[in-house]
Amino acid sequence: MNNSVGNTGRLLWAGLRALIVLTVVCGVLYPLAVTGVAQVAFHDKANGSEIKDADGKVVGSSLIGQAYTGKDGKPDLTWFQGRPQNGLGENSVNTQYKLILSGATNLSGDSKELIKQVKAAKAAVIKDNSTATYEVKPADVPADAVTSSGSGLDPAISPEYADLQVHRVAERNHLSVAQVQKLVDTHKDGRILGFMGEPTVNVLELNIALKQLTRKS
């Protein structure tokens, strides 16, 4: 009987020691080591790929898009606009780049609702970006200007869509077309390693540069 109690006690003590050691190693030392390595070797990415404005204030992440709208909820046309949000119809998922939820509309390619949304978005792009001296033609509108991304959080647009917005942004901000076009050109990112993916323009970074340009003008 005493041997049985003693064996049970030793087993419990061994189990408790193992619990303490594993808790310290896996719950304290390992997380601290991983965090330390991440902060030293991948500081920017570890902190969420933050983007700061000229004043040093964090204004967002290079990985997540933002909505540029006015108080009425409509696009603020003084800024470059990102891809349409998944908020154009009753099947919307993410209406304002909200991080609590991401996803696509789940509408099929032949969906009447999707076709209706795309046509409405295309008409809006043509109307919003046409100016007194520049007319946007239907053939000029790229696909990413009228369709949302799979996550609804895409931070980038195609160079073609950025170029299409140049005249409107220049007019709204009282800048020359050449100034704004140069801004876009300097923010175009090529394919990863030269062959993976497509060229892009990060909208948040572009609008931060635009804000700086308007300050100087």
Side-chain angles (χ1 to χ4, degrees), residues 158-176:
S158 67
E160 291 78 16
Y161 188 25
D163 289 340
L164 183 147
Q165 301 182 60
V166 166
H167 286 76
R168 182 255 300 165
V169 171
E171 181 180 76
R172 296 272 177 161
N173 290 282
H174 308 290
L175 298 168
S176 70

Side-chain angles (χ1 to χ4, degrees), residues 73-92:
K74 295 181 179 180
D76 184 347
L77 300 180
T78 59
W79 303 102
F80 283 94
Q81 297 294 316
R83 299 187 65 169
Q85 300 155 31
N86 290 329
L88 299 175
E90 59 184 14
N91 295 296
S92 63

Side-chain angles (χ1 to χ4, degrees), residues 8-213:
T8 300
R10 284 193 295 273
L11 289 173
L12 289 175
W13 175 234
L16 180 60
R17 283 182 297 175
L19 176 63
I20 294 173
V21 170
L22 290 173
T23 298
V24 172
V25 172
C26 299
V28 180
L29 298 180
Y30 177 72
L32 286 176
V34 171
T35 301
V37 171
Q39 288 297 321
V40 173
F42 310 100
H43 180 75
D44 180 59
K45 294 181 179 179
N47 289 322
S49 300
E50 296 174 338
I51 294 181
K52 297 180 180 180
D53 61 15
D55 300 321
K57 179 182 178 182
V58 176
V59 293
S61 169
S62 63
L63 304 176
I64 301 171
Q66 295 188 18
Y68 294 90
T69 55
K71 294 181 179 180
D72 57 0
K74 295 181 179 180
D76 184 347
L77 300 180
T78 59
W79 303 102
F80 283 94
Q81 297 294 316
R83 299 187 65 169
Q85 300 155 31
N86 290 329
L88 299 175
E90 59 184 14
N91 295 296
S92 63
V93 175
N94 193 343
T95 59
Q96 291 290 335
Y97 288 107
K98 294 178 181 178
L99 304 185
I100 194 172
L101 180 67
S102 66
T105 61
N106 291 326
L107 295 173
S108 64
D110 60 352
S111 166
K112 292 182 179 180
E113 178 65 22
L114 179 61
I115 294 173
K116 179 181 178 182
Q117 291 178 17
V118 170
K119 287 183 176 179
K122 190 171 187 177
V125 168
I126 293 173
K127 178 182 177 182
D128 290 345
N129 291 283
S130 293
T131 67
T133 59
Y134 177 73
E135 180 183 358
V136 178
K137 299 177 181 178
D140 297 333
V141 181
D144 63 306
V146 296
T147 57
S148 59
S149 63
S151 67
L153 302 175
D154 195 341
I157 57 177
S158 67
E160 291 78 16
Y161 188 25
D163 289 340
L164 183 147
Q165 301 182 60
V166 166
H167 286 76
R168 182 255 300 165
V169 171
E171 181 180 76
R172 296 272 177 161
N173 290 282
H174 308 290
L175 298 168
S176 70
V177 172
Q179 284 179 297
V180 180
Q181 185 63 62
K182 182 179 179 180
L183 203 66
V184 171
D185 292 340
T186 57
H187 283 81
K188 291 179 179 179
D189 297 317
R191 292 180 172 85
I192 301 173
L193 299 179
F195 66 93
M196 292 191 296
E198 295 294 330
T200 59
V201 178
N202 188 289
V203 180
L204 175 56
E205 294 177 351
L206 181 59
N207 279 331
I208 290 175
L210 173 64
K211 184 177 181 180
Q212 282 297 104
L213 183 60

Side-chain angles (χ1 to χ4, degrees), residues 1-6:
M1 181 69 178
N2 289 334
N3 289 337
S4 178
V5 173

